[in-house]
Amino acid sequence: MSTADPVSPSNSGATPLDLPSITTAPKALLHDHLDGGLRPRTVLELAGECGYDDLPETDADALAQWFRNAADSGSLERYLETFAHTVAVMQTPEGLFRVARECAEDLAADGVVYAEVRFAPEQHLERGLTLDQVVEHVLEGFRAGESAARVAGKRIRIGCLLTAMRHAARSREIAELAVRFRDRGVVGFDIAGAEAGFPPSRHLDAFEYMRAANAHFTIHAGEAFGLPSIQEAVAFCGTDRLGHGVRIVDDIAVGSDGEPTLGLLAAYVRDKRMPLELCPSSNVQTGAVDSLEKHPFDLLARLRFRVTVNTDNRLMSDTTMSREMYKLVQTFGYGWSDLERFTINAMKSAFIPFDERLELIDDVVKPGYAVLLG
Ligand SMILES: O=c1[nH]cnc2c1ncn2[C@H]1C[C@H](O)[C@@H](CO)O1
Ligand SMILES: [Zn+2]
């Protein structure tokens, strides 16, 4: 296989592939952080309401620009510092509810029909809420946002993932919380935060607990740190998916003739159809890749890894699901059938029951792309 071959020819008689038309396409999103997707105006208003006066800007446009610039640091650690401001305004029932409701509404307006949105409950206890209360307020916000979207003529379903911070020591507790809320809208568990120095195996008991409960989880791995992190997540922790996983490319050698050779770990990840939650813009901002052009997304897609397109943090990257897809179209020349495949990859990899995934694929995704394909 030559890596120069397009995945599929660009669409011919179909709807033109531009940002407005991508916005109308049904999309599935597996990796989106609740505390990384606030509306800039909401950050300002909630800060005013709760008396948080450490925001770096007082105007919504300037604040949006500040997040973007500050996150453009080339380092995951510095990128993560920007979350201090969003987490600070998500400490009250009203704040958590509003942010979750607006998240569902914004994703629905962007044409996302299924999303798994994650956040770390342990970071929202500063004003006396319990872990259970934090989760309840967020889930209520998602339900309200889904209803508001329905009234606006948009269909969306949000599943919630509970994240434990990898530098902290509450992962087992958060895993138990995720299982406790499994019938109320929480569909899985995750670990996030600085990767270097905090290997996934540090949280093995949490993953073992999830596996014993027949519950799903993903692990941020292979973003700021390389193959050893992915190896631990896959081989020791038994992850269902890889959050980013972009450094799996380090286990693929592309010869001078363009022929790729997969190492054992890359081959295993591909053979197992392990989903990669790739987040193109975020990866450039944190320095995981040098540029979009150099992003291994296309190599991985051509090699038929189970690639999915994700936003990570819409506020920090000033992006949307449609914009991430459009950037990939512009960079790699994808057509509608490619976008449909990435979307079906994501739906197949979702943590909701199989029959519900299938229903979304058959009743929403395929008919939506059939219209766009012409
Ligand atoms: O891309 C990421 N890698 C590691 N950690 C991340 C990333 N994006 C957000 N986080 C962290 C910061 C948030 O406060 C936390 C929970 O959403 O997860
Ligand atoms: Zn992330």
Side-chain angles (χ1 to χ4, degrees):
M1 187 208 75
S2 160
T3 52
D5 295 337
V7 169
S8 75
S10 284
N11 53 314
S12 47
T15 304
L17 235 173
D18 52 22
L19 187 56
S21 58
I22 292 176
T23 304
T24 70
K27 293 172 289 293
L29 170 55
L30 300 179
H31 190 132
D32 185 85
H33 291 258
L34 184 66
D35 52 331
L38 286 74
R39 298 175 187 170
R41 184 165 304 284
T42 299
V43 180
L44 286 171
E45 290 176 6
L46 288 177
E49 283 167 26
C50 71
Y52 176 72
D53 46 21
D54 281 343
L55 288 183
E57 299 286 349
T58 52
D59 163 83
D61 290 341
L63 187 61
Q65 190 63 44
W66 182 88
F67 273 108
R68 218 220 123 95
N69 292 345
D72 248 347
S73 57
S75 133
L76 177 60
E77 283 75 8
R78 269 181 287 148
Y79 174 93
L80 293 175
E81 286 170 14
T82 62
F83 287 79
H85 299 299
T86 54
V87 168
V89 302
M90 296 169 66
Q91 301 294 338
T92 61
E94 301 75 30
L96 289 163
F97 176 88
R98 176 172 173 182
V99 170
R101 174 175 55 76
E102 291 180 351
C103 169
E105 290 183 336
D106 291 351
L107 294 178
D110 187 40
V112 174
V113 295
Y114 178 78
E116 289 177 8
V117 180
R118 63 189 76 191
F119 78 107
E122 69 199 64
Q123 300 192 120
H124 303 272
L125 308 176
E126 286 169 17
R127 295 198 182 209
L129 293 175
T130 64
L131 288 173
D132 287 64
Q133 286 169 335
V134 166
V135 177
E136 278 161 15
H137 295 306
V138 166
L139 294 177
E140 279 169 22
F142 285 147
R143 299 297 83 85
E146 287 170 340
S147 301
R150 207 172 310 123
V151 170
K154 299 277 184 185
R155 170 182 177 159
I156 187 165
R157 170 156 182 200
I158 309 264
C160 184
L161 304 185
L162 299 188
T163 294
M165 300 309 291
R166 55 203 310 159
H167 61 269
R170 302 189 79 158
S171 50
R172 169 68 187 247
E173 208 181 339
I174 303 303
E176 289 174 10
L177 187 67
V179 170
R180 199 152 65 243
F181 277 86
R182 72 193 319 176
D183 297 323
R184 285 178 276 172
V186 173
V187 300
F189 171 69
D190 163 53
I191 57 166
E195 189 175 6
F198 301 102
S201 54
R202 216 168 160 255
H203 304 280
L204 197 54
D205 62 333
F207 302 126
E208 283 174 349
Y209 175 83
M210 292 301 286
R211 292 213 307 266
N214 304 119
H216 305 289
F217 59 94
T218 177
I219 297 180
H220 276 77
E223 177 189 18
F225 202 66
L227 293 176
S229 183
I230 300 180
Q231 167 70 8
E232 282 204 1
V234 172
F236 298 162
C237 304
T239 194
D240 294 303
R241 307 194 306 231
L242 287 167
H244 299 284
V246 64
R247 301 267 34 108
I248 195 69
V249 70
D250 296 346
D251 201 34
I252 302 171
V254 180
S256 53
D257 57 356
E259 283 303 316
T261 307
L262 274 58
L264 285 175
L265 179 58
Y268 185 85
V269 165
R270 184 172 72 163
D271 292 346
K272 279 278 185 184
R273 317 305 300 134
M274 186 166 294
L276 301 176
E277 304 164 358
L278 298 172
C279 309
S281 293
S282 165
N283 291 159
V284 176
Q285 287 185 296
T286 62
V289 302
D290 290 340
S291 65
L292 221 49
E293 291 70 24
K294 291 193 180 146
H295 199 291
F297 187 100
D298 192 49
L299 175 66
L300 296 166
R302 289 168 197 281
L303 288 169
R304 290 300 195 268
F305 280 78
R306 188 179 276 185
V307 294
T308 66
V309 183
N310 300 277
T311 47
D312 209 12
N313 298 293
R314 287 170 286 117
L315 173 65
M316 284 72 184
S317 298
D318 186 22
T319 196
T320 63
M321 187 59 186
S322 296
R323 273 191 242 165
E324 290 303 295
M325 280 192 160
Y326 187 49
K327 283 183 184 181
L328 292 175
V329 166
Q330 288 178 304
T331 308
F332 299 118
Y334 294 137
W336 285 118
S337 56
D338 300 309
L339 300 189
E340 179 181 27
R341 186 158 58 87
F342 305 149
T343 305
I344 291 176
N345 279 350
M347 273 322 311
K348 282 182 177 170
S349 314
F351 287 160
I352 54 171
F354 174 71
D355 51 345
E356 294 170 33
R357 287 181 243 162
L358 216 52
E359 191 198 329
L360 273 160
I361 292 172
D362 289 341
D363 297 353
V364 181
V365 175
K366 285 186 176 171
Y369 283 91
V371 171
L372 294 161
L373 276 157

